[in-house]
Every structure is written in C-alpha cells, then in structure tokens.
Amino acid sequence: MEKENLPKLFQGQGGNLIMGQAMDLLDGVLDYKELMMGYACAIKEINTKFEVLDTEFEVRYKRNPISSIQTRLKSQTSILEKMARMGIPPTRENIEQNLNDIAGIRVICSYIDDIYLLAEALTRQDDIKLIRKKDYISNPKPNGYRSLHLIVSIPIFFAESVKEVKAEVQIRTIAMDFWASLEHQIKYKKNVEHAEKVIARLKECAEEIAHVDETMQEIRIEMDGIREETTDVEALYEKLKKIDINLMP
C-alpha cells in the first residue's frame, strides 16, 4: 500500500509507533486464535472417538452406552482469571503448560460400568496419551460430587506440523450429571441462609442418587442375564434388525 494512501493516523513518526503497536496487538490476537484452534480441533477429534465407540456398541450389542456428549472451549476471560489465581503470566507457553481444561468434553452415560468401559476404550487407543486420572466415583468429593475425570493429550495434524493438545474428559451417569448441574446452580447463589444445612442436604441427595445408579445397574445386569428361548426365525429377525441400524447421522 502506498504511504499516501494510509490513514493520517499511521503517517509520520508517531504513525510508525502506532503501526508497530497495532502489529504487535494483531500478532497477539492471531497467536491466541491459533492456540484456541488447536483446542477446538482436539475437542472434535475426541468427540468423534466417543461417537465411534457408541456406534460400535449399537451395532454389536443393540444398546448405546452414551446418552449425550457435551463440549466446551474455555473462554478467554476464564483463562485469564485462572492464570491470575495461579499467579502466572498468561503467555501462550504458560497457558499450554499449566492449563489442562481449556478443551472440555463431558460424556453422559446410562450406567456406572459404561463409564469405566468408555474410559478404558478411549485411553487404549494409540494416539491418546493419559496424563492424569481422578476417580470421583470410587472416591467422591466431600460435597458428594461424583464423576470420572481424565486429562489426555491427542496429536492434531495441521498442514505443516503436528501438535500434542491436552483436553479434560469427564464421564458420568445421567444421575450424576443431574446432581452436579443443580449443585452448580445452588453453589453460585449468594447470601444463602443456613448454608451448612443446604450442603448437608446436597450430600444426602448425592448419596441417594449414587444408590439409584447402583440399583439401576444391578437391574440391567439381571436383565442381560436372562436368556429368552427364541426360534430360528426370531433369531434371524434379530440379526436382520442389527443390519438395519442407521450408521449415518
């Protein structure tokens, strides 16, 4: 672009300074966008892996272990707040090294055993590296929170490079997710009277929900163990129904 065509703001010695500052700002914005692009791609990759596992179960066993999948990319505000609490400057290098939950995937299952089945199937894959595992189902948090948390990394293949990107995977049952959603809403209400009683009641609810989860799993296992007598025609019909499963969204 010819110098005379530039806006007056960018002309002269002062304009050179402003131009330099603008370029630095744009470089920072583009660097941040590139960083977040990697995390967004990691979410897509892991989401696809779970969808594949769910489809496999539908074809092989005529049931879907996954009720729903939720994904979340941490906002810039949340990133800056977390880095400030950690007392670490929010540089790209510091963000990549110290934050594991920018990319978030939450998988909601019907039964407790499906949680561990899916976690094992995911971490067994060659391109998934398990960094950390926290089992809040076997060892619930003091408030009653239950879920299985995995920190994993996955390679993202760009046009000219390959980058390992970290993501947090949470796997829980429908009942666990229901409790966590309500607890989250209640937790952020200010000036709650009798807070200790509320906390105690929430924990009681968590224990009741855990009992329901265990009971539902026991019922499913009992039902799976019942073998119905079928004729050859009925057996053939069941196999044909498996073939009819729609494999495309």
Side-chain angles (χ1 to χ4, degrees):
M1 181 182 290
E2 296 292 334
K3 184 174 181 181
E4 57 270 17
N5 293 330
L6 288 171
K8 290 183 179 180
L9 179 66
F10 295 110
Q11 294 181 18
Q13 186 174 357
N16 291 334
L17 176 62
I18 293 174
M19 179 70 81
Q21 292 173 338
M23 290 299 293
D24 289 342
L25 177 62
L26 286 173
D27 286 343
V29 170
L30 290 173
D31 192 47
Y32 175 77
K33 293 288 287 186
E34 183 180 300
L35 172 69
M36 299 310 288
M37 176 186 68
Y39 287 111
C41 291
I43 288 174
K44 291 180 181 179
E45 292 280 356
I46 296 172
N47 186 78
T48 299
K49 287 179 178 294
F50 280 117
E51 289 178 345
V52 169
L53 290 170
D54 196 51
T55 301
E56 178 190 3
F57 262 72
E58 184 176 14
V59 171
R60 289 183 182 273
Y61 310 112
K62 286 178 58 181
R63 78 176 188 91
N64 297 92
I66 297 176
S67 173
S68 64
I69 302 175
Q70 304 164 8
T71 61
R72 184 265 301 144
L73 191 63
K74 207 173 190 68
S75 69
Q76 183 175 0
T77 301
S78 296
I79 291 172
L80 293 175
E81 288 175 349
K82 191 163 186 177
M83 295 299 287
R85 289 196 300 270
M86 297 170 72
I88 301 173
T91 64
R92 176 169 181 166
E93 182 180 4
N94 285 341
I95 290 172
E96 290 180 314
Q97 287 182 357
N98 294 280
L99 297 189
N100 298 323
D101 61 345
I102 294 178
I105 301 95
R106 182 176 297 154
V107 181
I108 312 302
C109 301
S110 299
Y111 303 101
I112 297 172
D113 56 357
D114 286 337
I115 294 174
Y116 296 102
L117 183 150
L118 288 169
E120 183 181 353
L122 176 71
T123 56
R124 194 169 53 233
Q125 298 185 23
D126 293 340
D127 57 344
I128 290 286
K129 179 182 178 183
L130 178 62
I131 298 173
R132 188 168 70 241
K133 174 181 177 180
K134 287 189 177 180
D135 189 345
Y136 295 117
I137 300 172
S138 298
N139 300 287
K141 288 186 177 181
N143 66 347
Y145 174 85
R146 287 170 168 83
S147 183
L148 181 67
H149 289 197
L150 308 174
I151 302 298
V152 301
S153 69
I154 184 170
I156 303 300
F157 291 82
F158 297 109
E160 299 177 355
S161 64
V162 180
K163 186 175 181 62
E164 286 284 336
V165 180
K166 292 184 289 186
E168 181 186 53
V169 178
Q170 298 179 0
I171 314 178
R172 59 179 69 156
T173 64
I174 298 169
M176 293 174 191
D177 188 59
F178 166 74
W179 182 91
S181 297
L182 294 182
E183 190 271 346
H184 181 77
Q185 294 177 29
I186 294 170
K187 184 173 64 175
Y188 283 95
K189 288 187 177 294
K190 297 180 180 179
N191 303 319
V192 177
E193 292 185 11
H194 311 297
E196 291 181 0
K197 289 184 178 180
V198 171
I199 292 170
R201 291 181 67 186
L202 280 170
K203 188 171 182 180
E204 287 177 9
C205 288
E207 291 170 354
E208 290 173 6
I209 286 174
H211 178 67
V212 170
D213 264 338
E214 292 168 1
T215 302
M216 293 301 294
Q217 179 167 290
E218 289 170 1
I219 293 172
R220 194 213 75 209
I221 292 171
E222 288 177 9
M223 296 301 294
D224 288 347
I226 297 174
R227 294 186 175 275
E228 297 180 356
E229 294 295 330
T230 58
T231 64
D232 290 342
V233 173
E234 289 172 333
L236 176 61
Y237 179 66
E238 289 299 318
K239 288 185 178 181
L240 286 173
K241 284 202 298 185
K242 287 186 179 182
I243 296 173
D244 286 338
I245 290 174
N246 183 16
L247 299 178
M248 296 300 293

